[in-house]
Amino acid sequence: MRLATFVAILSLLGLTACSSGGLSARHDGVYAPALDPRGEAVDGLVVGHRLMEAGQAELALEAFTRAAGKEGLTPDVLVALGSANLALGRLNQSEKILRRAIKDAPDWPEAWNNLGVVLMERDKTAEAAEMFRRAFALDNGESDAIRDNLRLALAKVETSVYADDTEQDYKLVRRGRGSYLIRATSD
């Protein structure tokens, strides 16, 4: 009988410890907030772009993926996914996604520009210059970033043979929403 009582008390203490808050549960409701089913979620694209601005490309990619699940693979989502992959250095994935984006939205200059940036990073300079030309034409020459990218790509195409001491490194600089600018770095 004593053993059964002891086991019952021990079981009761074990169950109490497993309950929310354990043995020292507070009754004032200071726990993680419950899910509000009436709450509105923030747009995944907005969250992703904010994370990209903060330099958190991996988290941005997750937000863009959630947006893709909710909205589908729209050109906006595709360009965002491509830009996040570009920022993470996943150039093959980025190129595939951005090619699909320009197929779905062939009149969007930012998509052409971002594809040009990927191609520049992959040393496909001539093709990148063509992407920048299309972006520049679609944008009517209004974007300084696209104009600078085109100018840089054309200069690199014209000077196809570099000497070891004149070769430059290039750096991607994020400009605006989902577009990148290529800058020559100075030593």
Side-chain angles (χ1 to χ4, degrees), residues 79-102:
V79 170
L81 287 167
S83 298
N85 278 302
L86 173 62
L88 291 168
R90 299 172 183 164
L91 301 179
N92 289 334
Q93 291 173 330
S94 182
E95 182 179 349
K96 288 177 187 176
I97 292 169
L98 290 169
R99 286 191 187 278
R100 180 167 173 193
I102 61 172

Side-chain angles (χ1 to χ4, degrees), residues 45 60-66 68 72-87 93-94 97-98:
L45 285 174
L61 183 61
E62 291 177 16
F64 294 144
T65 303
R66 282 192 303 274
L73 291 175
T74 65
D76 285 338
V77 171
L78 287 170
V79 170
L81 287 167
S83 298
N85 278 302
L86 173 62
Q93 291 173 330
S94 182
I97 292 169
L98 290 169

Side-chain angles (χ1 to χ4, degrees), residues 94-103 105-141 143 145-154 157 180 182:
S94 182
E95 182 179 349
K96 288 177 187 176
I97 292 169
L98 290 169
R99 286 191 187 278
R100 180 167 173 193
I102 61 172
K103 183 179 176 187
D107 58 342
W108 194 9
E110 288 82 7
W112 288 98
N113 180 66
N114 289 358
L115 180 57
V117 171
V118 170
L119 294 171
M120 284 291 287
E121 285 292 306
R122 297 193 68 208
D123 290 326
K124 297 179 179 179
T125 310
E127 189 178 3
E130 182 58 33
M131 299 302 132
F132 292 136
R133 276 190 192 105
R134 291 181 186 186
F136 187 75
L138 289 168
D139 192 49
N140 293 323
S143 171
I146 293 173
R147 184 180 324 114
D148 291 344
N149 284 345
L150 176 59
R151 188 177 304 130
L152 184 61
L154 290 175
V157 167
Y180 289 81
I182 303 172

